[in-house]
C-alpha cells in the first residue's frame, strides 16, 4: 500500500451532517487554522459516544480507502474535503485573492505635479467621526497638511442629515481654501455645495461618490477612493475562495449611503457568479445605528440560520466590532464560522480582531493615511491650476497571515513621492 499517515482532525471528518455542504476546507487564504467544522448540536442535545465513534470510524475508512494502491486521484474540481462548488469561478477567485494579499507592491501613484503652495486652509466635513474610515482619512489629511504648512479643521456631522448639512454650512461660512466631503453624499447638502461653488471653494471628496477622480455632478475637483467595483469583487472572491465555492453568506450594508449601497449590490452580484454560494440575508443597518442594531440582528440571524451561516461580508469593518459581543454571547468561536470579511475600511480595530482571531478573518482596507495625503495633493493641484491626478489605489486583502501584526494598511513609497512632488 502507498504510505498514508493518518492525522486526527480537531473537528472530525464526517460529512453527512446538516450544513456541511458549506463547510470550509483545510486550506484557506491567510488562515492556517482553517478546518472542517461539523454542525453544532441543538441546545440540550449531546452527541452520543456511539455517534462520535461511528463518525471517527467512517473517516478512518474513507482515508484508508484513498490510500489503496490504484485508488483514483482527486478529479478536477474535487479535493479530500469534497467537490468545489464552482471550479472555474473558484480558481479565478483564488488567483485574484492571492495577488491582492501581496504586501510588496511598489508605489504606482503620481510622481510628478505642482510644488506645494503656501498659506492655505482646509475644512474636513466628516459624515461621522465614529466611522473609522472617515476618521482615518482625516488623520492622513492632518499629517500631509502639516508637511505643506496648511491649517486643517475637522467638523463632525454626527451621522445625521441635519448634522451633516449644518456642518457643511459652517464649513462654507468659514471660507477656507478647500473643503473635504468626508464620507457622505454631496447631494444631501446640495445647497451648501452650490454655495461653495459660488465662493470658488474647491471640493475634494473621500468616498463621496462611487468613482475615483473628478466629478461634474456633484461638482468635485476629485473623489479619493479605491474602485468600488474592485473592492466589491475581491471581497466576494475571498468568500468564494475561502469556502471553496460553498457558503451561506450574510451581507451587511448601509442603504442610506449611495457609495455603500453600490458596493453591497456589486458584492451580491459577484457572489451570484458561484451558484453554491447563497446569500442568506441582506441586512440594511445605517452606520450611525450599527452600535445598537447590529447585536440584535446578529442574534436573530444566528437563530434563523444556525450552521448554514458560514461567511459574512460588510461594507464597513465596524459592523463586526458591534457584532462581536453577540457572537461571543452565542458561543460562536472567534476564529469562525461565520468567517467575516470587511469590504472597507481597514481601521485599527479591524486589524486587531483579525490578528487575534476574534470574529473577523479579513478586510479589504482602504490605505487611509495614503488617501489623506492624496486629498492634500489633489487640493494642491486645484490651487495650482493643474488637473486632478485621478489616482486610485489598488485593492489589498489583509489577513492574519500577511499583516505582520500591523494595525493598518499603509503602502510604501507614497510619502517620499508626495514630498518630492511638493518640494518638501
Amino acid at each position: 500500500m502507498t504510505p498514508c499517515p493518518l492525522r486526527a482532525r480537531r473537528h472530525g471528518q464526517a460529512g453527512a451532517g446538516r450544513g456541511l455542504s458549506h463547510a470550509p476546507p483545510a486550506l484557506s487564504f491567510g488562515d492556517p487554522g482553517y478546518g472542517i467544522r461539523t454542525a453544532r448540536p441543538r441546545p440540550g442535545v449531546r452527541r452520543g459516544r456511539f455517534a462520535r465513534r461511528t463518525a471517527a470510524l467512517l473517516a478512518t475508512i474513507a482515508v484508508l480507502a484513498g490510500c489503496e494502491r490504484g485508488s483514483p486521484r482527486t478529479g478536477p474540481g474535487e479535493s479530500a474535503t469534497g467537490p468545489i462548488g464552482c471550479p472555474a469561478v473558484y480558481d479565478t477567485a483564488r488567483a485574484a485573492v492571492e495577488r491582492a494579499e501581496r504586501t510588496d507592491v511598489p508605489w504606482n501613484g503620481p510622481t510628478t505635479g505642482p510644488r506645494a503652495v503656501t498659506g492655505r486652509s482646509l475644512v474636513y466635513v466628516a459624515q461621522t467621526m465614529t466611522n473609522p474610515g472617515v476618521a482615518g482619512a482625516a488623520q492622513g489629511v492632518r499629517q500631509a497638511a502639516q508637511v505643506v504648512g496648511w491649517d486643517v479643521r475637522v467638523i463632525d456631522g454626527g451621522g445625521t442629515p441635519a448634522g451633516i448639512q449644518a456642518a457643511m454650512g459652517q464649513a462654507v461660512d468659514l471660507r477656507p481654501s478647500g473643503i473635504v466631503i468626508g464620507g457622505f453624499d454631496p447631494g444631501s447638502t446640495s445647497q451648501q455645495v452650490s454655495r461653495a461653488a459660488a465662493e470658488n471653494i474647491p471640493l475634494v471628496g473621500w468616498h463621496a461618490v462611487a468613482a475615483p477622480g473628478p466629478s461634474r455632478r456633484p461638482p468635485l475637483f476629485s473623489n479619493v477612493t479605491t474602485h468600488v467595483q474592485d473592492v466589491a469583487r475581491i471581497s466576494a472572491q475571498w468568500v468564494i475562495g475561502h469556502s471553496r465555492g460553498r457558503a451561506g453568506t450574510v451581507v451587511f450594508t448601509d442603504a442610506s449611503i449611495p457609495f455603500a449601497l453600490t458596493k453591497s449590490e456589486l458584492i451580491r452580484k459577484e457572489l451570484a457568479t458561484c451558484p453554491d454560494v447563497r446569500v442568506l440575508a441582506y441586512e440594511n443597518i445605517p452606520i450611525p445605528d450599527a452600535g445598537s442594531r447590529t447585536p440584535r440582528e446578529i442574534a436573530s440571524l444566528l437563530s434563523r440560520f444556525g450552521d448554514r451561516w458560514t461567511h459574512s461580508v460588510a461594507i464597513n469593518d465596524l459592523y463586526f466590532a458591534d457584532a462581536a459581543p453577540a457572537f461571543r454571547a452565542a458561543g460562536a468561536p472567534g476564529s469562525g464560522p461565520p468567517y467575516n470579511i470587511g469590504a472597507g475600511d481597514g481601521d485599527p480595530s479591524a486589524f486587531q480582531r483579525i490578528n487575534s482571531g476574534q470574529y473577523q478573518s479579513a478586510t479589504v482596507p482602504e490605505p487611509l493615511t495614503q488617501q489623506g495625503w492624496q486629498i492634500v495633493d489633489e487640493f494642491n493641484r486645484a490651487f495650482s491650476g493643474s488637473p486632478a491626478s485621478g489616482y486610485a489605489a489598488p485593492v489589498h486583502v489583509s489577513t492574519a497571515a500577511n499583516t505582520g501584526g500591523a494595525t493598518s494598511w499603509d503602502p510604501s513609497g507614497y510619502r517620499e513621492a508626495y514630498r518630492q512632488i511638493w518640494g518638501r
Side-chain angles (χ1 to χ4, degrees), residues 118-135:
T118 59
R120 301 305 169 103
S121 62
L122 302 178
V123 174
Y124 187 106
V125 180
Q127 180 250 354
T128 172
M129 288 296 280
T130 62
N131 182 328
V134 172

Side-chain angles (χ1 to χ4, degrees), residues 124 127-139 206 287 316-319 321-322 344-350 353 366 368:
Y124 187 106
Q127 180 250 354
T128 172
M129 288 296 280
T130 62
N131 182 328
V134 172
Q139 183 60 25
W206 181 84
I287 286 175
N316 191 299
D317 292 306
L318 65 82
Y319 288 99
D322 297 320
D345 293 316
D347 67 278
S349 67
R353 289 190 296 276
E366 297 287 321
L368 299 173

Side-chain angles (χ1 to χ4, degrees), residues 167-178:
M168 267 298 286
Q170 184 180 353
V172 177
D173 289 342
L174 291 170
R175 295 189 177 180
S177 306

